[in-house]
Each structure stands twice: as structure tokens, then as C-alpha cells.
């Protein structure tokens, strides 16, 4: 009941922000993004397995499997993002900084040592630069690491465990090492 109440409250609140932007005449010039920082966690939902909180993805928040890492993002920017646009571009939160800098006309202001790319082309239908790879580590990296290159993902759950390899193109659930 608590989770349902929080989701309903969040839904209303996002609607209120969108309505206020329209009321103030700012909708056309505002990029509205809705996303999360991780997959569903196993503690906030009474029975995450029963409710299939991350299905068909494996595992939950705090893990290196897709259920802990892969999240949806919804973006709305009238006249800039075509309605119904869908992309499978792989990005991470660091990509927001160069994206917003490019939107502000200041892409030169992004430090050179930032390992991030603007995702503005993916949002607006342009030619999108892709990451060569994405990398994750839990804690100090001793608890686990993962790296994704294209559709291939290697997961090293812990130092004493063997590395696992998944083809996410054919095994999104990471069931077949």
C-alpha cells in the first residue's frame, strides 16, 4: 500500500510540474526528463519476485545484473523530440552533463577528462555517438565488477567467483552464462 501510494503521489506530482510548465508558457523550451538511478530494490516491494518488479531482467538494485542497472528514461521536449520516439542508446548519468552543456550552447565547457557523451542526438533524432564500453564496480570493486561492450556483458560478481559472460541481444535475463 505504501509503494502504491508513493507511485500515485509521484505520478500526480510529475503531472503538476508538466501542467505548471504549460501554464507558464515554458513547455516548448523545457526538456522534461523522468528516470531513476537504479532498478527496483527488493526491500521496498512486499514481494518483488511475485510482482516481477524488474522482469524479465535479473536481480535488483545494488547488483551488477540488468535488474540493478538498466532503467527506462522518458523525455519530453515539444518540437525537439518527436512524439513516440524510441531509442536503445546506452547511456549513463554522467552523460547528462555534456547533454545539458550542448543544449545550453556550451559543449566546450565540459572538461576533457569527463568520460561522458552528449545524448542530445539520441533525443532529437540525430546521429548519436556511442560509448565504447560501460563499466560498473560495487563498493571498492572488491564486491564485483561488470563491463558492457555492445550487446556483450561480462559480470565478475566477486573476487573469488568466476567471470560470467552474457549476450544481452539474445539473453536479456542474463540466464545463460
Amino acid at each position: 500500500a505504501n509503494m502504491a501510494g508513493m507511485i500515485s503521489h509521484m505520478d500526480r506530482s510529475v503531472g503538476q510540474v508538466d501542467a505548471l510548465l504549460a501554464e507558464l508558457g515554458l513547455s516548448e523550451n523545457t526538456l522534461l526528463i523522468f528516470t531513476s538511478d537504479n532498478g527496483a530494490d527488493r526491500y521496498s516491494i512486499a514481494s518483488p519476485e511475485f510482482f516481477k518488479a524488474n522482469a524479465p531482467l535479473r536481480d535488483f538494485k545494488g547488483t551488477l545484473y540488468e535488474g540493478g542497472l538498466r532503467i527506462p528514461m522518458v523525455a519530453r521536449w515539444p518540437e525537439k523530440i518527436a512524439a513516440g520516439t524510441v531509442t536503445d542508446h546506452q547511456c549513463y548519468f554522467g552523460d547528462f552533463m555534456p547533454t545539458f552543456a550542448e543544449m545550453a550552447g556550451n559543449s566546450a565547457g565540459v572538461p576533457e577528462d569527463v568520460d561522458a557523451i552528449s545524448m542530445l542526438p539520441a533525443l532529437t533524432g540525430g546521429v548519436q555517438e556511442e560509448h565504447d564500453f560501460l563499466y560498473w564496480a560495487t563498493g571498492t570493486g572488491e564486491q564485483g565488477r561488470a563491463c558492457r561492450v555492445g550487446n556483450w556483458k561480462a559480470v565478475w560478481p566477486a573476487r573469488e567467483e568466476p567471470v560470467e559472460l552474457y549476450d544481452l541481444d539474445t539473453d536479456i535475463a542474463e540466464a545463460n552464462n
Side-chain angles (χ1 to χ4, degrees):
N2 285 341
M3 180 63 75
M6 288 188 291
I7 291 170
S8 295
H9 176 73
M10 179 183 60
D11 188 48
R12 273 191 309 276
S13 297
V14 170
Q16 289 171 339
V17 167
D18 192 41
L20 182 59
L21 288 170
E23 179 185 323
L24 297 173
L26 300 173
S27 291
E28 304 304 313
N29 197 30
T30 302
L31 171 60
L32 184 62
I33 295 175
F34 186 81
T35 190
S36 177
D37 64 343
N38 47 251
D41 72 66
R42 66 181 88 234
Y43 308 107
S44 299
I45 302 170
S47 179
E49 287 82 9
F50 175 80
F51 288 107
K52 299 182 177 16
N54 285 334
L57 307 177
R58 178 178 175 178
D59 229 331
F60 300 93
K61 172 183 177 175
T63 70
L64 297 167
Y65 296 101
E66 292 297 285
L69 300 173
R70 183 185 290 242
I71 55 167
M73 181 177 94
V74 178
R76 182 177 177 275
W77 194 9
E79 298 184 23
K80 303 283 186 186
I81 301 175
T85 298
V86 176
T87 179
D88 61 358
H89 173 64
Q90 299 169 29
C91 61
Y92 82 110
F93 273 103
D95 293 339
F96 283 108
M97 182 171 60
T99 301
F100 296 152
E102 183 177 352
M103 288 172 58
N106 187 19
S107 58
V110 177
E112 288 184 29
D113 62 347
V114 171
D115 184 20
I117 57 176
S118 171
M119 57 188 161
L120 192 59
L123 294 170
T124 59
V127 176
Q128 177 64 55
E129 178 184 358
E130 299 290 333
H131 287 280
D132 293 330
F133 63 91
L134 293 172
Y135 171 81
W136 302 268
T138 57
T140 61
E142 297 297 317
Q143 294 90 347
R145 300 174 184 197
C147 183
R148 180 170 176 169
V149 178
N151 287 320
W152 289 98
K153 182 172 168 198
V155 178
W156 189 21
R159 181 176 286 267
E160 65 280 351
E161 296 182 36
V163 174
E164 303 165 6
L165 183 63
Y166 301 99
D167 178 0
L168 298 179
D169 196 34
T170 59
D171 183 19
I172 196 66
E174 296 168 297
N176 301 299
N177 177 10

